[in-house]
Amino acid sequence: MHTVVVGTSGVTASDVLAVARGGARIELSAEAVAALAAARGIVDALAAKPEPVYGVSTGFGALATRHISPELRAQLQRNIVRSHAAGMGPRVEREVVRALMFLRLKTVCSGHTGVRPEVAQTMADVLNAGITPVVHEYGSLGCSGDLAPLSHCALTLMGEGDAEGPDGVVRPAGELLAEHGIAPVELREKEGLALLNGTDGMLGMLVMALADLDTLYKSADVTAALSLEALLGTDKVLAPELHAIRPHPGQGASAANMLAVLKGSELTGHHQDDAPRVQDAYSVRCAPQVAGAGRDTLAHARLVAERELASAVDNPVVLADGRVESNGNFHGAPVAYVLDFLAIAAADLGSIAERRTDRLLDKNRSHGLPPFLADDAGVDSGLMIAQYTQAALVSEMKRLAVPASADSIPSSAMQEDHVSMGWSAARKLRTAVDNLTRIVAIELYAATRAIELREGLTPAPASRAVIEAVRAAGVQGPGPDRFLAPDLAAADAFVRDGSLVAAAETQTGPLR
């Protein structure tokens, strides 16, 4: 099994995906163990002094003015975990919880948190055992970190609360730890706070969304090309020299992908009744501009994620010179903004895909295709309601594009009076990514059927490869009306697992 070694300098996006989705094992580097021990020595020295130090010998948040005596400090650390594990609502997905825990371990191993090496090792042991704490949908404001979600994870380390075992069954965490030979941790000064105070949930969801959207943008380029082909559009608008004079990188990549898919097509440039079209509609002609802007948004979000993956997010932090200082690095604004940006870009990509689908189904705009791509229009409704489903998804995407990060709600008796709402931005982006996958799948379903209805003209080799692969995956071609939901589900799976991009790339080579 793949192993990820966690050091002091952060982790990569591929590390997060390997642990969250691939079940990779985790090891702590010798460098990380040494850094953990050194930082803990600083915390222990401060804990022995009479002067109060936030997070070490004081309360938290609005209660930070109380100095906590040594005999109560272990209780304080247990209590912060128990009281902050206040989430409600549906369970969060296993991959999100694994990313959340792994990213908190990443910061712990930086040597800036003051956590003992044995606590970090227990975090790795829990992940390696396939134990997943039960984390709930609601509870994070994205400031002072994803407090409630991380608290539910810390509760499992203490042997309390509920967790899911590797068999998928939810049981008391203490039982699961005992079965795997893992001793519950007894938290000491600062450790409870250090396990809770990070942007790890929203960052983990950002990393996974970036991976999914990278595939989806390539998928959307393929379906846009198939729709252009089915509509007998012109590929001249994809010429590299046209995109070179407006040099947005994403736009150029999207146009190049579409041109590669259309290479060798006999459909492009043909027109119904030999009536030449001067220009295609915006949803066809401007596909690279819209998808390209989304790709550039992805690039910016990836840069933010890379910076955050290299960060140590905690409050207070242990510095190399021995100081323990309060800070505001736990504020989720940098991550929250890009999560919202991505939801906006995804909504627009879904919107333009739906417009192309609608054009394929409208006999007045489809240049000779049958109404709704039906076998016997009137007796058959064809893909009429598939477009309704797509439109409903687009409508929800627009609602999900409303920024969460533009909101703030005060908490902790006005001590935490401005929050990022980054967790909320991440949760709605996950829904948006799911919806976008379905929208692209419906365009794929319509475009492949439309191409097959263009008798006498040969589609591009890449288009043929996609059609053959999607039919082999159980998505049926033209014909009389049938139960449509299974076909759409098969198309969704074909897009979701990357099969659409893989099929096109058998002819185009790697898409950009």
Side-chain angles (χ1 to χ4, degrees):
M1 181 180 289
H2 179 60
T3 298
V4 172
V5 178
V6 183
T8 61
S9 58
V11 297
T12 66
S14 60
D15 291 335
V16 177
L17 295 171
V19 172
R21 291 179 167 173
R25 292 187 60 80
I26 300 162
E27 291 182 4
L28 309 186
S29 71
E31 173 196 31
V33 173
L36 284 158
R40 185 66 209 178
I42 293 170
V43 170
D44 286 341
L46 289 171
K49 293 182 177 181
E51 297 84 6
V53 177
Y54 177 69
V56 176
S57 53
T58 71
F60 308 114
L63 302 176
T65 55
R66 178 176 172 182
H67 183 248
I68 308 298
S69 58
E71 68 272 12
L72 294 176
R73 290 175 188 170
Q75 181 181 340
L76 169 68
Q77 299 302 320
R78 289 195 301 271
N79 285 350
I80 190 176
V81 173
R82 290 167 175 165
S83 65
H84 285 44
M88 294 183 73
R91 282 180 57 195
V92 172
E93 303 87 351
R94 182 176 185 270
E95 67 177 16
V96 172
V97 179
R98 286 184 62 81
L100 172 76
M101 290 187 69
F102 175 64
L103 288 168
R104 182 78 319 228
L105 177 60
K106 172 268 296 183
T107 281
V108 165
C109 287
S110 70
H112 290 294
T113 68
V115 168
R116 288 169 294 152
E118 51 264 45
V119 176
Q121 186 60 57
T122 302
M123 296 171 76
D125 291 343
V126 168
L127 284 164
N128 289 341
I131 298 171
T132 307
V134 171
V135 174
H136 298 280
E137 181 90 22
Y138 301 105
S140 174
L141 300 179
C143 202
S144 291
D146 291 318
L147 287 173
L150 282 163
S151 297
H152 283 275
C153 294
L155 201 64
T156 293
L157 299 179
M158 292 166 49
E160 300 181 17
D162 292 326
E164 179 186 292
D167 59 359
V169 177
V170 174
R171 296 165 54 196
E175 291 181 12
L176 288 167
L177 294 186
E179 281 185 9
H180 289 84
I182 301 171
V185 297
E186 294 285 344
L187 297 175
R188 290 169 47 180
E189 291 93 343
K190 195 182 178 300
E191 290 181 332
L193 183 61
L195 294 176
L196 315 185
N197 219 342
T199 56
D200 309 292
M202 64 183 91
L203 176 58
M205 287 186 275
L206 172 60
V207 169
M208 288 185 283
L210 286 168
D212 294 338
L213 287 168
D214 183 68
T215 299
L216 272 174
Y217 270 86
K218 293 175 185 175
S219 300
D221 288 341
V222 175
T223 58
L226 294 175
S227 290
L228 183 153
E229 194 172 24
L231 290 166
L232 306 179
T234 177
D235 59 0
K236 291 182 178 180
V237 295
L238 305 173
E241 58 270 24
L242 294 176
H243 299 277
I245 62 175
R246 194 189 191 194
H248 294 286
Q251 177 180 324
S254 182
N257 284 347
M258 290 181 66
L259 200 58
V261 171
L262 292 168
K263 184 178 181 181
S265 174
E266 293 183 4
L267 278 74
T268 56
H270 286 266
H271 304 290
Q272 181 188 14
D273 301 324
D274 294 322
R277 234 174 303 152
V278 177
Q279 297 182 123
D280 290 310
Y282 283 9
S283 61
V284 178
R285 191 182 355 145
C286 302
Q289 284 76 10
V290 172
R295 285 168 169 273
D296 291 342
T297 303
L298 276 180
H300 171 62
R302 193 171 290 112
L303 176 63
V304 171
E306 288 169 356
R307 290 170 176 163
E308 198 76 359
L309 287 168
S311 300
V313 179
D314 193 16
N315 180 48
V317 291
V318 181
L319 298 175
D321 60 8
R323 287 179 295 146
V324 175
E325 297 284 2
S326 292
N327 66 90
N329 284 343
F330 50 74
H331 199 288
V335 181
Y337 291 167
V338 294
L339 288 162
D340 280 332
F341 295 165
L342 291 175
I344 292 168
D348 202 32
L349 187 64
S351 178
I352 197 170
E354 183 275 330
R355 287 294 80 205
R356 289 190 295 264
T357 302
D358 182 67
R359 184 166 289 272
L360 288 167
L361 305 189
D362 183 352
K363 70 180 182 65
N364 296 312
R365 295 179 292 139
S366 66
H367 307 285
L369 291 169
F372 303 105
L373 306 181
D375 187 63
D376 184 3
V379 174
D380 295 312
S381 295
L383 306 191
M384 180 190 294
I385 308 304
Q387 185 268 330
Y388 283 33
T389 300
Q390 196 183 39
L393 290 163
V394 169
S395 183
E396 181 171 335
M397 292 277 285
K398 293 174 183 177
R399 293 191 294 274
L400 293 168
V402 176
S405 58
D407 185 28
S408 177
I409 189 164
S411 57
S412 193
M414 293 297 287
Q415 175 70 6
E416 298 168 9
D417 59 352
H418 186 276
V419 297
S420 77
M421 303 308 298
W423 173 274
S424 298
R427 295 307 296 166
K428 70 184 182 64
L429 178 59
R430 282 182 70 83
T431 303
V433 170
D434 269 349
N435 285 355
L436 180 59
T437 306
R438 298 181 182 108
I439 290 165
V440 171
I442 292 172
E443 183 181 15
L444 170 68
Y445 189 58
T448 53
R449 177 184 283 210
I451 289 173
E452 288 180 301
L453 291 170
R454 295 289 190 190
E455 297 180 357
L457 294 171
T458 304
S463 303
R464 293 199 301 274
V466 167
I467 292 169
E468 289 170 5
V470 78
R471 298 291 173 254
V475 181
Q476 299 183 56
D481 282 357
R482 55 183 172 267
F483 182 21
L484 208 53
D487 271 6
L488 298 180
D492 173 65
F494 187 75
V495 173
R496 193 173 296 272
D497 68 7
S499 294
L500 170 59
V501 173
E505 287 183 335
T506 61
Q507 300 299 315
T508 64
L511 294 173
R512 294 165 57 182

